[in-house]
Amino acid sequence: MSTFPRISLRPEVTDYLKNVFLNKEVLAAVGHQEAESRFQRLLTCLSHPPSYTCVRASTHLAPLEEIRHKLGEELKKQMCTSSEKEVSVQILSHPRIPDVLLLPVDGPRPVEQLRSEVVVGAQCGSAVLRGANVFVPGILASPKFMKAGDVVSVFSDLEGRCTRGATSFQGMRGFVGNGVAQIDRSGIFCTDVAAKGVGVRMVEPLYQSPSFDGVLPNLAFLQNLPSVVVGHVLGPLPGERILDMCAAPGGKTCHIAALMRDQGEVVALEKIKNKIDRIRQNAKMLQLNSVKVYCFNSTKAVSSDSAQEHEGPPFPAESFDRVLLDAPCSGLGQRPSMSCTWSLKELCSYQPLQRKLFHAAVQLLKKGGVLVYSTCTVTLAENEEQVAWALETFPCLTLQPQEPHIGSEGMLGAGLSPEQLRLLQRFSPELTWDQTGAAAPLPYRADRDTIGFFIAKFLKK
């Protein structure tokens, strides 16, 4: 159901994406009307959250059913404190992915807008739609005399035009629900020290989903379904040496180590220094000792010294059994995303970087090894076109079947054959947006109502 306007993009970016989704190959296959309809559905579904929350269970620490039971009990306690009614929590296991739990999202709900309004940034608004409270740094505007305890309506600034500290805002915005202020206005804007913590506790969100803040942190890890699929597609085995080239925040790194039962070595590289601690914290919290984290630029991860003795990067060629290249990308598949202010130049800047990383990945992979390439974007240039380029540039690579394969096949437009497209996995929520009713079984909806995502699996001959 459409509640918000389409994602707000610069006109040049909208035109670029329209040309992608209405390319000649697509038009020849499905016709102009269907191609146009898919594109419009994409713009709409991107601004809305998926109809469920996906949790990756730490099955290396406890059985799935035990985790499901504990999670249900914890969420009941949380919901009982905010409601006088008896609450029930529906948690389902995924039929094909053994470490995934699914929780339905209730929304959009009939929530009445109030006269007292708080405006938050688009990123904060998106987090609220997925079950979060409003944290103080995300607040841009509030009533002039707002006090802790006031009930307020929360709106998301869709175009990034609200001035921080304003008392009102009449620009493009999206209503995300009602909450209770936890802090006076003066504590948000009139202080020399940046305030932290919860600024508005959401009591009537437009989309109701559990808050996982502090809930079973070592057993239940929030992760989008396609991101969990990536780890299984890579297929890590105990005793192997595996490289995660762009590892932050460490969700996929830790999943790989868990799938290996913490036996072997998972090398995580991340070039941004302040993201390193998060990866280490996640590994420690999940009791994974096989993860080794380094602050390093993966484009420079190949050493010319084949006899080097130090264990860290750069590494000699053919050092790893499997490589995950979850590449930096334009992120246009993320949901919900009500606004993206990037220019077309910024959007197109990722393809060259991805190719540099690809060169390093192929060199570092052993013969007979597996390379998985993934992104959370919807463009051809960063997905299918990269596959076509890789197959031409590296004759040693061949596409491989993926398991599980619960998404769609690759998108037409990059000159790949039908057989090659079937080996790719593109999660395309626009294909079924507004067509899969809430009455459909949750696992059926979960496989389709995802973020936009792409996975390709290669074997190095």
Side-chain angles (χ1 to χ4, degrees):
M1 177 180 174
S2 298
T3 304
F4 305 112
R6 301 180 313 171
I7 182 174
S8 175
L9 302 168
R10 292 191 182 188
E12 65 197 53
V13 173
T14 302
D15 291 342
Y16 170 79
L17 287 177
K18 185 170 183 176
N19 287 331
V20 169
F21 279 80
L22 276 72
N23 70 70
K24 291 180 180 179
E25 287 186 49
V26 169
L27 292 177
V30 303
H32 189 280
Q33 184 175 351
E34 174 59 21
E36 176 70 34
S37 176
R38 289 180 184 180
F39 176 60
Q40 296 302 329
R41 291 200 301 266
L42 172 71
L43 297 181
T44 301
C45 78
L46 287 177
S47 64
H48 293 72
S51 59
Y52 64 94
T53 297
C54 177
V55 175
R56 195 189 82 229
S58 299
T59 52
H60 66 292
L61 297 178
L64 183 69
E65 278 305 306
E66 181 182 325
I67 296 172
R68 186 164 80 97
H69 176 74
K70 287 184 176 180
L71 182 59
E73 292 300 309
E74 287 295 317
L75 294 179
K76 276 184 185 178
K77 290 178 191 175
Q78 176 196 107
M79 295 168 76
C80 283
T81 59
S82 59
S83 173
E84 297 178 359
K85 302 176 184 177
E86 180 70 23
V87 293
S88 62
V89 181
Q90 184 184 14
I91 305 176
L92 301 175
S93 55
H94 193 284
R96 291 185 59 188
I97 308 177
D99 53 0
V100 163
L101 296 171
L102 304 169
L103 293 79
V105 171
D106 178 18
R109 303 157 70 230
V111 180
E112 184 178 350
Q113 297 181 20
L114 309 174
R115 295 177 65 181
S116 188
E117 301 175 354
V118 166
V119 179
V120 302
Q123 187 174 359
C124 178
S126 296
V128 170
L129 291 175
R130 302 220 52 179
N133 290 307
V134 174
F135 285 80
V136 172
I139 298 176
L140 301 176
S142 74
K144 188 173 183 180
F145 302 106
M146 186 180 79
K147 299 291 184 184
D150 289 354
V151 182
V152 296
S153 283
V154 179
F155 291 84
S156 179
D157 173 17
L158 301 185
E159 295 184 316
R161 295 186 177 182
C162 180
T163 304
R164 179 171 171 77
T167 56
S168 64
F169 177 66
Q170 301 304 319
M172 279 192 65
R173 56 195 192 155
F175 175 62
V176 296
N178 297 333
V180 178
Q182 304 295 293
I183 186 172
D184 296 353
R185 174 185 167 86
S186 59
I188 301 173
F189 301 117
C190 306
T191 176
D192 295 332
V193 180
K196 298 180 181 179
V198 176
V200 178
R201 180 171 57 84
M202 299 302 297
V203 294
E204 281 190 300
L206 194 64
Y207 285 82
Q208 179 82 59
S209 57
S211 170
F212 280 79
D213 189 22
V215 175
L216 300 181
N218 66 326
L219 293 179
F221 193 93
L222 282 180
Q223 196 166 21
N224 286 304
L225 183 62
S227 297
V228 183
V229 171
V230 166
H232 289 283
V233 168
L234 184 65
L237 298 173
E240 291 185 327
R241 192 181 192 212
I242 297 179
L243 173 64
D244 185 354
M245 298 185 72
C246 308
K252 297 181 184 71
T253 304
C254 292
H255 189 207
I256 292 167
L259 290 172
M260 297 166 63
R261 296 290 162 185
D262 206 26
Q263 299 170 32
E265 182 181 57
V266 182
V267 174
L269 301 185
E270 174 55 52
K271 73 174 184 178
I272 301 175
K273 190 174 183 180
N274 61 13
K275 293 184 177 182
I276 291 295
D277 285 345
R278 177 80 181 275
I279 305 172
R280 291 196 175 112
Q281 288 166 7
N282 282 332
K284 184 178 180 180
M285 179 178 65
L286 297 172
Q287 301 174 37
L288 297 167
N289 300 310
S290 59
V291 175
K292 294 185 178 179
V293 187
Y294 302 95
C295 184
F296 200 82
N297 183 346
S298 284
T299 63
K300 302 174 181 178
V302 184
S303 170
S304 57
D305 180 8
S306 60
Q308 74 172 46
E309 296 183 2
H310 66 87
E311 65 174 11
F315 303 102
E318 300 187 2
S319 290
F320 295 93
D321 298 290
R322 298 174 198 264
V323 174
L324 172 61
L325 174 50
D326 185 50
C329 69
S330 57
L332 282 176
Q334 292 290 1
R335 296 175 58 197
S337 176
M338 296 187 189
S339 174
C340 178
T341 59
W342 284 6
S343 67
L344 183 58
K345 182 179 179 180
E346 289 172 307
L347 187 73
C348 296
S349 66
Y350 287 93
Q351 192 187 63
L353 171 60
Q354 291 160 354
R355 292 187 176 182
K356 287 181 182 179
L357 289 165
F358 228 113
H359 274 283
V362 174
Q363 292 180 70
L364 290 169
L365 184 64
K366 294 178 181 178
K367 292 182 178 69
V370 169
L371 165 62
V372 168
Y373 172 80
S374 62
T375 75
C376 58
T377 194
V378 298
T379 67
L380 274 173
E382 298 172 78
N383 295 328
E384 288 83 358
E385 285 183 13
Q386 295 292 51
V387 171
W389 166 83
L391 292 174
E392 183 177 348
T393 306
F394 307 105
C396 60
L397 294 184
T398 56
L399 283 173
Q400 296 296 298
Q402 300 183 33
E403 180 55 41
H405 195 298
I406 60 175
S408 306
E409 60 184 36
M411 191 167 86
L412 292 161
L416 295 171
S417 70
E419 292 76 15
Q420 290 170 326
L421 291 175
R422 281 193 287 271
L423 292 171
L424 304 177
Q425 188 164 196
R426 178 184 268 258
F427 290 84
S428 305
E430 74 278 2
L431 294 181
T432 55
W433 173 253
D434 266 354
Q435 297 176 13
T436 305
L442 182 57
Y444 177 87
R445 280 186 282 134
D447 292 351
R448 291 154 180 78
D449 190 19
T450 64
I451 63 170
F453 205 89
F454 179 83
I455 308 173
K457 180 178 182 179
F458 301 89
L459 179 72
K460 183 176 180 181
K461 293 181 291 186

